[in-house]
C-alpha cells in the first residue's frame, strides 16, 4: 500500500503491477474523477465488466514525480478495498515515466527519474512485454522452455500457470499433477457471486529460472486466465526493479543458491472466501467431503464470528497453521456442523 496525492489530497492505493489505475465508487465523493468514456475490463476470473473511465487532473507519487490527466477507471464498491482503507489501486500506467525499485527487506519502494539508479546497467535488464497498460510481462524459463509471465504484486503466492502455457509445457518439461479440483480462487471486479467456477490443478514444476535465479520443486496452480503469473512472493527472494520507460525488468537475488520451493509453495486443498459478511468454501482440490458454497464457521479451533470479511484475513488464519493438516467446521447452521479435515498439498 502506498500513499499518492490526488489533486493534492493524500490518498492510499494498492500498487498492483498486474492491474490498472482505478478508484472505487465509494471514493468518488472525495475525489474529482472526470468521466470521459467507458471501457470493458476483464478481472482475475476473466469476468468482463463495462466500467466508467475517467481522468484526474493531477496525480503525485513521492515528492517529485507527478502526472497530469492520469487515467482512472471507476470500480464497483468492494469490501476488500474498504477494509484495507484504500481508495483503489495504481498499476504500471501510473509509473510509466519512472523506474520503480522494490526493496522487500526494508519494505519500501523508490522511484528514479529520468534514469535508472546509478550502477545498474541496461544489459542486465530483461525486456518486458508491456502493451498499452504497462503490465510487467517477463520471460520465465521452465526447464529448457520459456513462457511469458506477468509479475503481479496484486497476486499472493509465488506462481500461477495458465492453461495454455501448461499445454505447451506438459510434454516437454517435468511437470507433475498432484491433484485436481474446481471452484473460484480469487475475488474479481464483479465479486464472487458472478465468477464462474473453473477446473484447477495443483502442479509441481521441477525447475524454473527468473533472471539468474534458479528455483526447484515449485508448486503452482493451473488456472484459466490471460497470463501465467509470478506473484508477490518473488520479493522473498530478491529485489525487483521495473524500468517502465525502457521496458526493462531487473531481478537482484539475495543469494546465488537454488531455492527449493517444495515447502514454501504448498497450498491448502480448500479455498475459503468471504461472501458478504461470512465465509464459504469456494474451491476444493482433490477428494474432500465438502460442497462448494458451504458456510465455514471455524478453522482449526478458531471461530470466525469476529473476523472481518476479508480474503487477506482468512488467508492469514490459514497461513498461520504450522501443521500440514487442520480442520474446518462447515454447515448451514451453527447448531449442526460437520468437521472436515483439510491438508496442504
Amino acid at each position: 500500500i502506498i500513499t499518492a496525492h490526488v489533486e493534492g489530497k493524500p490518498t492510499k492505493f494498492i500498487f498492483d503491477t498486474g492491474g490498472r489505475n482505478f478508484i472505487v465508487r465509494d471514493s468518488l465523493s472525495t475525489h474529482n474523477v472526470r468521466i470521459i468514456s467507458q471501457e470493458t475490463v476483464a478481472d482475475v476470473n476473466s469476468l468482463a465488466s463495462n466500467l466508467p473511465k475517467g481522468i484526474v487532473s493531477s496525480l503525485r507519487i513521492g515528492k517529485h514525480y507527478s502526472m497530469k490527466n492520469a487515467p482512472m477507471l471507476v470500480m464497483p464498491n468492494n469490501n476488500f478495498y474498504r477494509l484495507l482503507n484504500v481508495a483503489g489501486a495504481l498499476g504500471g500506467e501510473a509509473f510509466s515515466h519512472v523506474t520503480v525499485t522494490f526493496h522487500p527487506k526494508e519494505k519500501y519502494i523508490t522511484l528514479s527519474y529520468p534514469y535508472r539508479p546509478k550502477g545498474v546497467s541496461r544489459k542486465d535488464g530483461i525486456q518486458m512485454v508491456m502493451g498499452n497498460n504497462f503490465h510487467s510481462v517477463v520471460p520465465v524459463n521452465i526447464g529448457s522452455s520459456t513462457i511469458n509471465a506477468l509479475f503481479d504484486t496484486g497476486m499472493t503466492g509465488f506462481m500461477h500457470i495458465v492453461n495454455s502455457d501448461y499445454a505447451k509445457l506438459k510434454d516437454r518439461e517435468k511437470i507433475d499433477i498432484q491433484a485436481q479440483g474446481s471452484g473460484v480462487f480469487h475475488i474479481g471486479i464483479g465479486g464472487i457471486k458472478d465468477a464462474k467456477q473453473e477446473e484447477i490443478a495443483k502442479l509441481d514444476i521441477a525447475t524454473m529460472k527468473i533472471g539468474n535465479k534458479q528455483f526447484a520443486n515449485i508448486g503452482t496452480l493451473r488456472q484459466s486466465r490471460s497470463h501465467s503469473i509470478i506473484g508477490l512472493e518473488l520479493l522473498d527472494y530478491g529485489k525487483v526493479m521495473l524500468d517502465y520507460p525502457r521496458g526493462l525488468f531487473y531481478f537482484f537475488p539475495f543469494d546465488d543458491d537454488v531455492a527449493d520451493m517444495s515447502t514454501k509453495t504448498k497450498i491448502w486443498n480448500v479455498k475459503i472466501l468471504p461472501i458478504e459478511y461470512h465465509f464459504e468454501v469456494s474451491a476444493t482440490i482433490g477428494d474432500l467431503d465438502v460442497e462448494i458454497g458451504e458456510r465455514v464457521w471455524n478453522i482449526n479451533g478458531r471461530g470466525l464470528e469476529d473476523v472481518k470479511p476479508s480474503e487477506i484475513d482468512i488467508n492469514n488464519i490459514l497461513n498461520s497453521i504450522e501443521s500440514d493438516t487442520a480442520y474446518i467446521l462447515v454447515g448451514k447452521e451453527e447448531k449442526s456442523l460437520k468437521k472436515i479435515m483439510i491438508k496442504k498439498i
Side-chain angles (χ1 to χ4, degrees):
I1 295 176
I2 63 173
T3 299
H5 287 76
V6 179
E7 297 178 336
K9 184 177 298 183
T11 308
K12 289 184 178 179
F13 289 95
I14 295 170
F15 181 16
D16 180 3
T17 58
R20 302 283 301 280
N21 294 350
F22 73 83
I23 194 166
V24 292
R25 193 171 292 278
D26 269 349
S27 299
L28 284 180
S29 59
T30 53
H31 295 86
N32 181 28
V33 180
R34 182 163 63 88
I35 305 301
I36 57 173
S37 64
Q38 298 278 317
E39 184 171 336
T40 301
V41 177
D43 68 8
V44 68
N45 295 312
S46 300
L47 184 69
S49 298
N50 195 32
L51 301 176
K53 182 178 181 180
I55 57 174
V56 293
S57 60
S58 69
L59 176 69
R60 180 168 61 84
I61 305 168
K63 293 182 179 179
H64 307 295
Y65 174 59
S66 62
M67 294 182 71
K68 291 184 178 179
N69 298 322
M72 196 72 67
L73 295 168
V74 179
M75 294 285 190
N77 293 333
N78 188 310
N79 266 344
F80 176 78
Y81 302 104
R82 187 180 294 119
L83 291 169
L84 287 177
N85 195 30
V86 298
L90 297 178
E93 58 194 331
F95 300 85
S96 57
H97 300 296
V98 297
T99 297
V100 181
T101 305
F102 295 85
H103 303 267
K105 288 185 176 179
E106 298 83 0
K107 300 189 184 301
Y108 65 80
I109 65 171
T110 54
L111 308 183
S112 306
Y113 173 84
Y115 306 110
R116 292 180 297 277
K118 186 179 291 187
V120 177
S121 172
R122 184 182 185 117
K123 66 180 177 61
D124 294 328
I126 300 169
Q127 193 66 50
M128 295 191 285
V129 183
M130 294 194 300
N132 295 331
N133 297 323
F134 292 89
H135 285 163
S136 45
V137 178
V138 299
V140 172
N141 299 117
I142 306 290
S144 60
S145 304
T146 302
I147 63 170
N148 285 331
L150 173 64
F151 172 60
D152 187 354
T153 57
M155 182 64 70
T156 57
F158 184 76
M159 187 184 187
H160 305 260
I161 194 165
V162 72
N163 288 332
S164 57
D165 283 338
Y166 172 72
K168 297 174 190 174
L169 297 169
K170 64 179 182 178
D171 295 327
R172 289 187 277 171
E173 307 299 341
K174 183 171 173 44
I175 302 177
D176 298 326
I177 297 178
Q178 297 298 311
Q180 300 189 70
S182 63
V184 176
F185 259 74
H186 303 285
I187 300 175
I189 298 168
I192 192 171
K193 289 294 187 183
D194 296 327
K196 294 179 181 179
Q197 292 188 25
E198 61 171 327
E199 298 301 311
I200 300 161
K202 169 62 166 45
L203 309 176
D204 280 351
I205 298 174
T207 62
M208 184 173 114
K209 187 178 180 183
I210 302 175
N212 293 319
K213 179 69 173 178
Q214 294 274 3
F215 299 88
N217 307 313
I218 306 100
T220 181
L221 285 178
R222 187 199 72 204
Q223 296 174 276
S224 175
R225 56 182 67 216
S226 59
H227 281 101
S228 292
I229 288 175
I230 299 298
L232 192 61
E233 286 182 11
L234 178 64
L235 296 175
D236 291 343
Y237 298 91
K239 186 165 66 173
V240 168
M241 183 182 297
L242 302 176
D243 182 349
Y244 283 110
R246 285 154 286 272
L248 294 172
F249 172 92
Y250 296 82
F251 181 52
F252 303 103
F254 295 138
D255 58 55
D256 297 327
D257 299 337
V258 176
D260 185 345
M261 309 293 287
S262 54
T263 300
K264 178 78 171 178
T265 52
K266 281 186 175 181
I267 61 169
W268 290 101
N269 63 345
V270 64
K271 183 67 178 181
I272 300 168
L273 288 175
I275 309 295
E276 295 180 349
Y277 293 99
H278 64 272
F279 296 92
E280 292 181 8
V281 172
S282 66
T284 60
I285 305 175
D287 295 326
L288 206 59
D289 185 25
V290 65
E291 297 293 326
I292 292 174
E294 286 197 78
R295 181 169 177 177
V296 181
W297 297 80
N298 187 295
I299 298 176
N300 220 37
R302 168 69 160 92
L304 304 181
E305 300 85 357
D306 61 338
V307 180
K308 294 180 293 186
S310 159
E311 184 177 359
I312 291 176
D313 285 0
I314 205 71
N315 285 343
N316 286 341
I317 290 173
L318 286 165
N319 292 339
S320 69
I321 300 173
E322 295 182 2
S323 170
D324 281 357
T325 60
Y327 70 86
I328 57 176
L329 299 181
V330 301
K332 290 185 178 180
E333 298 181 357
E334 197 171 8
K335 298 176 183 177
S336 54
L337 300 180
K338 60 179 180 179
K339 184 177 182 178
I340 304 295
M341 299 304 298
I342 62 175
K343 64 180 180 179
K344 294 177 185 177
I345 57 174

